[in-house]
Amino acid sequence: MNRPALLLLLAIAPMTLLAQEPRQTERLEGIREQLPGVYALTNARVVMGPGRILEDATLVIRDGVLEAIGADVTLPPDAHVRDQAGLTLYPGFIDAHSDLGLEEIRVDTARGPVHWNPQVRPFIDAAEEFLVSEDRTAEFRGQGVTVVHAVPPLGIFRGQSALVSLGEDPYRDRILRSGISQSVSFARDTDIAASYPNSSMGAIALIRQTLLDAAWYGEAQTIYERNPVGLRRPETNPALASLGTAVRGEQPLLFEVRSEEEYLRTQALFREFPQIRPWIRGSGQEYRILDVLDAGLPLILPLNFPDTPEVESPEDALDVTLSTLRHWHLAPENPGRLAAAGIEFALTLAGLDDAADFLPNLRRAVERGLPTDIAVAALTVNPARMLGIERTHGTLDVGKVANIVAVDGDLFDDEAEIRDVWVDGRRYEISTPPRVDPRGEWLVAWNGGGVPNGRLSLEGSLERLTGSFTVNGEEEDLESASIQDEEGRLRFSVPGEILAVDGLVRFSGSIEGDVVYGWSEFPDGTAPGWRAERVAGPGPDAGAPSVATASSPSGPGGGAADEAASDDEADDGSAAPPAQALLRLADIRPAMEFGRETLPEQPQSVLVRNATIWTMGPSGLMENADLLVTSGRISQVGQGLQAPTGAVVIDAAGRHVTPGLIDPHLHSGISSVNESGSNIVPEVRVGDVLTHNNIWMYRQLAGGLTLAHLKHGSANPIGGENVIVKMRWGALPDELRFVGAPRTVKFALGENPVSETRYPGTRMGVEEIIRDNFNAAREYREIWREWEAGNGEGIPPRRDLRMDALVDILEERLLISAHGYRQDEFLMLVRLAQEFDFNVLTLQHGVEAYKIAPELAEAGVAAIVWSDWSSFKIEAYDGMTYNARLLTEAGVLTSLHSDDSQVSSRMNWEAGKMVRAGMTEEDALALVTINPARILRIDDRVGSLEVGKDADFVIWSGNPLSQFTRAEQTWVDGRRYFDLTEDRELRRQVEWERAQLIQLALDND
């Protein structure tokens, strides 16, 4: 061996030996691979990271790691050289929330000391459950994904996530990190169990309780380990132990949300448990709440844009709401809007039915305003930093893992394709570059003549060629066109009419540079040869499409949307935006019909003049009177009031003004009504699932309703905690709450809470289970008192939210509002409460309440009843229209309710029915104004038009008890939330928006 060859061998030997150095525990079977894992990718455009671009660069990979990058890199003598001319190299993409490999995760976990609720599975470890699906892994690689954050998909507490590399190494080599986060969902999985919880408010209650339990469990175990003498050993619970790091803030809790409301609910839990570190996998609706998003919450964003709504026929369009149309149009703008608001996010394929939709949707997001640099960051550096692998992944820098995506041009060009994906330095071919490109203009001539020559035009993508054929100035679109790349053959067909024959004429030819030689097939069986010469187009050496500069601006100021613009120019000479972007919709809340851009203004002063005012207070009915509102409160009621400077003055001559109507029993505006998974559920809270996306609120405002008592359903002897809201249309859920209102809880009697599948199965069982739980609450309260009296020594009692609520009931901090029909069951509950020394606030529905009116009056129990509903089931047969009148005359504080979204929009009609039953007009109106306010113990704020109260009032076109009267204006807190004149304009706006969006949907098809 000569000296130069020896020196070369010595130079490369250490690297080869290093590559063969054993690092794995698995024994090798067979012959070792002797080839060094060294590659040099040359002549590439390299996007090292967002905004960091090298042109005509070389990238060297050794043993799965980036060894060198630059324009003047010396090629290692042992490298496999691959020419990347025309390709752009990006860092490997990281999917920040995936179920890849967890499609068959185990459902049954009923072994050992499991959690009492099967939806609590935090001990599940994605790294241990991961089952390789090579086909699906290849689909993800086809979208440029090299690493996935694998998140368990089942349960409410779903388990610990893991980072998995998408190479084909042994599984031991694919796991990058485990225990990344604990995954949480607001929805249970029926694959696991169909019991408690079966509602979103129940899920939130379980999350709240489990977090408290995990904190208590850690403390109890620590105290017992430190000194077990004299202490009862706490239970062994792997689920709660697994959550210990999360409740201490050492491990993130990753919440998967399905709507903007669930995002807000996550924020609320974060405020309740400030020690936790929440991450959020978003819903795609974040653009609706940009003003309240927490920029500090790590966000993972799906690109699962909705399908085009079905509006092909007018009848189909009637079934599509404006909200659906708006979201279809605006969802692609979500990433761009978040970026413009300074919200950092990572991207995920989660939610896509087909992984192949990811890159098209990403390009669509860029077209609709997402800057390309931020798009690259959301695929690479952002998830790497979020998931703790930024030192090895996320950019193309020396020393990092060789995860690379090779694209033929710019990633954000619609025509670009991923050619190769490198994972840990191993190449996976995704698509083969075309051997020929037939696009362009060709002159076609026939061998031997006899057929007129033509002009062939081919365009579109190589996978979907389109074009036309022209003869003697007559042009016909091609029936079909394709390129058989392996053979380099072009095939197309044209309508025979253009060549003066019936049927189709088919062509097939071989491409050699700018010339095609082939034969044709005519309908009569003849097959003349033909030759075509390219006169315009990309040519055989055109390579990839032209590459836009990645550092160029994008979004509103330019970028991919501008680079891909058509030849059409806007009036100012700039490139025209995509068609869908031409329709700019106002940001409204809620994002549906009649949504508002902002809340109504609250004028400093409002004077309503010359009206008939139903004060529903000591002043009674006032004719030709005035109402003065200052800063949202009533400041004067009388005659001849003077308007302060700058006041809004309303001439209400001929009109009637009443307090805002109140419905003390309603279920609209909440995401779930019943938590029926357990018979006793006072720990669940209706206020947790308030939604502002509630069109009924606008309709109820149009009927003069300004306040409602939103209630849990009647599936349980003891149901959940209710919430009182004001009709602040356009506000967020928490802003709807009536702050300072007493707390109430729903009880249910009669047939509704009786079940055939669980206790209680009879009406007497309903009484007994309520009694038993009150006794348990007494014992729970005593346990805590004893522990506190002992100066907190030993293991503290476990805080039980269900028992906490029951204690609050016993101590009248949580007031009973009971559903029922029959008088005997009402008396049972009243006497049961007396047995435990507290009072019942209200009995609701009460179609038989008139039978026990004296007893209710003596016990101080209020009645909330229907005007004339009854007889819709056996236990409601004994109702009567005179119920409210008889109760009122017996001294029972009485009001009407709807228990129905539509009826609640006409509560004045319900009150009007009572005039026919013999009540005075003022007593009738009191049933939907001051009486429900007194019953709910909020009459110091609402229910009458008195000085100092909230300015909740309605201006009616006439007597409010008439069915012919309309609410012309409805005011809440001194803000005009409904106006009949404004409503007409809003209706025109809604119809215009619908029409525009339907046209876009039709064009999109």
Side-chain angles (χ1 to χ4, degrees), residues 632-653:
R633 294 291 180 94
I634 298 171
S635 56
Q636 293 184 63
V637 183
Q639 293 176 327
L641 302 183
Q642 296 299 310
T645 302
V648 174
V649 179
I650 302 171
D651 186 357

Side-chain angles (χ1 to χ4, degrees), residues 491-514:
R491 294 171 182 168
F492 64 94
S493 61
V494 302
E497 290 85 352
I498 199 170
L499 296 171
V501 297
D502 294 329
L504 286 178
V505 179
R506 297 192 295 175
F507 294 75
S508 179
S510 297
I511 302 176
E512 296 181 9
D514 286 329

Side-chain angles (χ1 to χ4, degrees), residues 317-330:
L318 287 175
D319 292 331
V320 180
T321 65
L322 180 61
S323 177
T324 297
L325 289 165
R326 285 179 64 92
H327 184 54
W328 163 74
H329 178 64
L330 294 175

Side-chain angles (χ1 to χ4, degrees), residues 94 103 115 161 269 340 464 486 524 600 654 682 729 938 963 1003:
I94 301 170
E103 300 90 341
H115 194 274
S161 59
L269 277 172
R464 188 174 296 178
E486 298 83 359
D524 63 1
W729 175 249
I938 55 176
Q963 62 181 311
D1003 290 345

Side-chain angles (χ1 to χ4, degrees), residues 745-880:
V745 64
K746 177 71 174 288
F747 276 44
L749 312 173
E751 69 177 31
N752 287 32
V754 171
S755 170
E756 296 180 358
T757 58
R758 67 157 195 251
Y759 188 90
T762 63
R763 295 172 186 268
M764 60 185 174
V766 170
E767 175 183 0
E768 196 52 42
I769 198 169
I770 294 173
R771 176 180 285 110
D772 184 63
N773 273 269
F774 282 159
N775 283 324
R778 279 179 167 177
E779 295 168 9
Y780 172 81
R781 178 173 60 186
E782 190 59 31
I783 290 170
W784 271 99
R785 286 174 176 173
E786 290 177 2
W787 186 78
E788 290 166 351
N791 298 318
E793 294 294 329
I795 297 175
R798 167 184 167 269
R799 184 181 172 197
D800 187 324
L801 294 178
R802 181 172 294 180
M803 289 295 111
D804 283 351
L806 290 169
V807 169
D808 285 347
I809 294 171
L810 292 176
E811 297 179 356
E812 294 191 78
R813 291 189 295 272
L814 188 56
L815 308 175
I816 294 177
S817 179
H819 155 113
Y821 298 88
R822 289 178 14 181
Q823 52 86 19
D824 55 335
E825 293 178 323
F826 281 151
L827 285 179
M828 175 276 292
L829 183 60
V830 170
R831 290 164 179 164
L832 183 61
Q834 291 171 345
E835 176 184 332
F836 286 88
D837 196 28
F838 70 92
N839 295 312
V840 174
L841 178 67
T842 66
L843 300 177
Q844 307 235 347
H845 304 330
V847 296
E848 292 185 9
Y850 64 91
K851 296 181 180 181
I852 53 171
E855 289 82 359
L856 295 179
E858 181 181 357
V861 179
I864 297 177
V865 299
W866 281 302
S867 60
D868 54 2
W869 283 26
S870 67
S871 305
F872 47 86
K873 57 181 176 177
I874 293 295
E875 62 181 352
Y877 268 23
D878 277 0
M880 64 161 59

